[in-house]
Amino acid sequence: MEETIGVTSAAQIPKQRGEALLDTAVRYAEERHWDVFPGTWLESAEGAEQCSCGETACASPGAHPAREDWATQATGSATVARRLWQKQPTASILLPTGRTFDAIDVPETAGFLALARMERMELTLGPVTCTPDRRMQFFVLPGALVKVPDLVRKLGWPPAAIDLVTLGEGAYVAAPPTRFGASGAVQWACRPTAANRWLPDAEEIISPLAYACGREARR
C-alpha cells in the first residue's frame, strides 16, 4: 500500500499522476475490500489549477463527488474500479463511509495527541488519514455513527462541546494520494497494513480521541 508520508513536515505537493491514482484505487478495492468511487479532478486553466466542477471558490477542489448519485457508483470490484479510473485517470479517490468502515474525524492537533496516547496504551489502530485542511480521520468498524455520541457523553463530554465528527452512511473520505487543489495531498498518518486489516471498534479508541478533542476545546 501507500507508504506513510511525514505528515508533520512541510512536503512538496505531488503532481496528481493518473497512473498512481488508478493503481491505488484498484489496490484499495482489491487488497482492502474498500468501496471506491472517482470524484472530481484538477484541471489547468490560465496557468492555474481549478476543480472540474467549475466552481472558482470550490471548498475541496479536485476532492469531492462529481455526481449526486455517487453512492450508487461506489464499487468494491477492482475490475470496475480500473474501468472507472481509465475513463478519468486524474479523478480523486473517494471512499464511502458506513460500509466497510466508519471514520472519526478530529482536528489534526487533537489527532496527533490522541495517537501518542494510543501508542502508550498499546491500542490497536486502523488506518488514519491526515488531510490538507488539518483534519485526521480514524477508520473504525461500521456502526460508529450511532454509538459515538453516547460514548462521548459517558466520558463526560457533551458531543456538541468538542470538535469530533463521525462519518457513517451517506458520507465519504478522500483517500491518499488525492490532492486538494494547491493545499496539498491527503496522506497516511497510519498507513494500511496487514496488521490493521481488522479495524477497531469506536469504543476501543474513543477515550483518547475525546480527551484530546476536549483538551483542544478548552484552549
Side-chain angles (χ1 to χ4, degrees):
M1 298 302 291
E2 298 298 303
E3 289 297 322
T4 305
I5 301 172
V7 290
T8 54
S9 60
Q12 261 192 324
I13 296 173
K15 185 178 179 182
Q16 193 88 312
R17 299 190 307 277
E19 64 273 16
L21 289 160
L22 185 154
D23 290 344
T24 304
V26 169
R27 287 206 306 275
Y28 289 153
E30 191 170 56
E31 298 177 12
R32 299 298 295 199
H33 304 295
W34 290 340
D35 282 6
V36 297
F37 68 97
T40 52
W41 56 92
L42 297 171
E43 297 177 332
S44 296
E46 299 179 357
E49 287 184 315
Q50 66 179 28
C51 186
S52 62
C53 72
E55 291 289 334
T56 54
C58 180
S60 303
H64 64 85
R67 41 195 280 185
E68 290 186 6
D69 64 343
W70 60 263
T72 62
Q73 188 186 25
T75 179
S77 164
T79 301
V80 176
R82 183 176 298 280
R83 191 183 310 136
L84 289 171
W85 267 269
Q86 283 174 338
K87 291 179 181 177
Q88 184 54 56
T90 55
S92 52
I93 302 173
L94 305 180
L95 312 175
T97 50
R99 299 188 182 186
T100 50
F101 65 87
D102 281 0
I104 301 176
D105 180 287
V106 300
E108 183 182 274
T109 48
F112 279 117
L113 175 61
L115 277 177
R117 288 177 64 85
M118 290 176 193
E119 184 176 340
R120 290 196 297 272
M121 296 166 71
E122 298 184 346
L123 295 179
T124 300
L125 281 176
V128 182
T129 62
C130 192
T131 67
D133 56 355
R134 302 184 67 81
R135 306 288 298 183
M136 292 178 72
Q137 294 157 344
F138 291 72
F139 289 22
V140 294
L141 288 172
L145 181 63
V146 175
K147 294 179 180 179
V148 164
D150 281 342
L151 291 173
V152 170
R153 289 189 193 94
K154 287 177 182 177
L155 291 167
W157 302 99
I162 60 175
D163 187 1
L164 183 152
V165 179
T166 308
L167 303 174
E169 187 175 359
Y172 65 89
V173 298
T178 295
R179 185 152 65 86
F180 282 54
S183 299
V186 184
Q187 303 171 74
W188 289 116
C190 294
R191 67 186 181 93
T193 66
N196 63 21
R197 183 173 295 279
W198 302 106
L199 300 177
D201 189 276
E203 192 167 0
E204 298 174 53
I205 65 170
I206 195 64
S207 178
L209 283 172
Y211 168 82
C213 288
R215 180 168 166 172
E216 283 296 302
R218 289 195 299 264
R219 287 188 175 183

